[in-house]
Amino acid sequence: MPVELDATKTEIILGYKTWIGKRVELQVALGETLSLGDFTTVNDNCMILGNVSIERYCLLSCNIYISSGNHWPCIFPTWLIRDQDKWIEDHVELVADYSAPVHIEEDCWIGWGVFIKRGIYIGRGAILGAYTVVTHDVPPYSIQVGTPNREIRKRFDFKPPRELFSMNENDWPYFYAGFLMKQEEILISKKDKILFAREVARVILDGGKFNQFSLRGKLNDYINNLILTIYCNQVELGSVDIKEHFFFRGNYG
């Protein structure tokens, strides 16, 4: 018996000051979510289909194709491909084998005519040259071209440190997602020697064992109370109730 998909989870999310050009197609099926982050630009004739997440500050040129799905030509090879696609749609338990989300992190530049296949992860700050066919994941700040994609150089050597300081510009790439990083935003936050963060934010630190994790910060003037939950590699380290304006928390290990 076919499994019912939840239509309430089907959505297209456009962030603050997202810009979309002419003849751009954004398409989702039942149960899929497509999201474009704040200040992301999508130029003319792009097609973005399915479970695709593009974070803040990204630049997409023209004629780009991104899809989390695929056709299924070899389940019943004698059938029409269209009929095999329909058969898969009626067997949701199998869809995960043929459809996988695409995730593009912040500050990526996707060049003219790029193709990005299902299941691809593109790290923060990456650049994909014109007509690149992306068939495998792209590391942060990597510059890649070709069919299939290959690295030709890096914007810089991405090596996360053990500690991050908001006023150290060299540390900014490791404030990986969810921070307000436009120069005009940083100019304002610098007055308090902090980086503004959204409700969910991620940092990247050097790997390996640790016995302490500490965090300093400041609550926004209109926030009197904050429940802060800290995760490491998707494992919850703990939650704390913050009420003081300037705070320091540590010893999560």
Side-chain angles (χ1 to χ4, degrees):
M1 181 176 179
V3 179
E4 293 294 329
L5 289 170
D6 187 354
T8 64
K9 295 182 180 179
T10 304
E11 54 187 355
I12 294 176
I13 302 171
L14 303 181
Y16 176 68
K17 288 195 175 181
T18 296
W19 189 91
I20 297 177
K22 299 184 290 293
R23 298 175 299 278
V24 169
E25 181 176 345
L26 306 177
Q27 184 183 121
V28 292
L30 284 177
E32 295 180 332
T33 297
L34 189 160
S35 64
L36 303 177
D38 300 346
F39 303 105
T40 282
T41 298
V42 180
N43 275 286
D44 299 350
N45 301 313
C46 291
M47 295 183 67
I48 306 174
L49 313 176
N51 281 315
V52 179
S53 175
I54 302 176
E55 303 286 357
R56 297 160 62 89
Y57 312 120
C58 288
L59 304 166
L60 277 69
S61 185
C62 302
N63 301 306
I64 293 166
Y65 182 90
I66 305 171
S67 177
S68 66
N70 201 359
H71 291 293
W72 306 288
C74 297
I75 300 171
F76 307 109
T78 58
W79 290 21
L80 295 176
I81 295 173
R82 185 182 300 275
D83 288 339
Q84 295 181 70
D85 289 347
K86 181 63 170 62
W87 188 88
I88 284 289
E89 290 172 3
D90 292 336
H91 294 77
V92 179
E93 69 278 8
L94 300 178
V95 168
D97 294 331
Y98 299 95
S99 177
V102 175
H103 189 180
I104 301 174
E105 296 283 5
E106 294 182 357
D107 189 35
C108 290
W109 176 15
I110 313 298
W112 181 288
V114 168
F115 170 88
I116 300 174
K117 69 175 289 241
R118 65 185 179 91
I120 290 296
Y121 173 83
I122 297 176
R124 177 186 173 93
I127 298 174
L128 299 174
Y131 299 110
T132 299
V133 175
V134 185
T135 61
H136 53 268
D137 292 348
V138 178
Y141 292 92
S142 176
I143 301 176
Q144 304 210 352
V145 299
T147 305
N149 56 301
R150 68 185 188 281
E151 182 173 278
I152 55 172
R153 65 185 181 92
K154 301 176 181 179
R155 288 175 64 183
F156 72 94
D157 198 10
F158 188 81
K159 289 185 176 180
R162 297 287 288 183
E163 296 180 297
L164 297 178
F165 298 94
S166 61
M167 292 299 96
N168 182 355
E169 183 172 342
N170 292 330
D171 285 350
W172 289 350
Y174 311 110
F175 289 91
Y176 201 71
F179 294 90
L180 278 61
M181 301 300 291
K182 287 172 66 70
Q183 285 300 304
E184 54 260 44
E185 295 167 333
I186 291 174
L187 283 174
I188 298 172
S189 65
K190 264 187 174 181
K191 297 175 183 177
D192 290 325
K193 297 183 179 181
I194 60 173
L195 289 175
F196 293 141
R198 294 169 60 85
E199 294 85 353
V200 177
R202 287 179 286 142
V203 299
I204 302 291
L205 296 170
D206 185 27
K209 295 182 179 180
F210 67 96
N211 54 24
Q212 180 176 342
F213 176 83
S214 59
L215 178 68
R216 296 180 185 271
K218 174 189 173 184
L219 294 183
N220 199 302
D221 292 338
Y222 61 81
I223 297 177
N224 297 318
N225 184 217
L226 175 69
I227 303 296
L228 179 65
T229 303
I230 300 170
Y231 294 83
C232 179
N233 295 333
Q234 300 182 340
V235 176
E236 183 176 334
L237 299 183
S239 295
V240 290
D241 187 359
I242 298 173
K243 296 180 180 179
E244 61 269 37
H245 195 54
F246 289 92
F247 64 87
F248 171 77
R249 294 292 187 274
N251 297 319
Y252 301 102

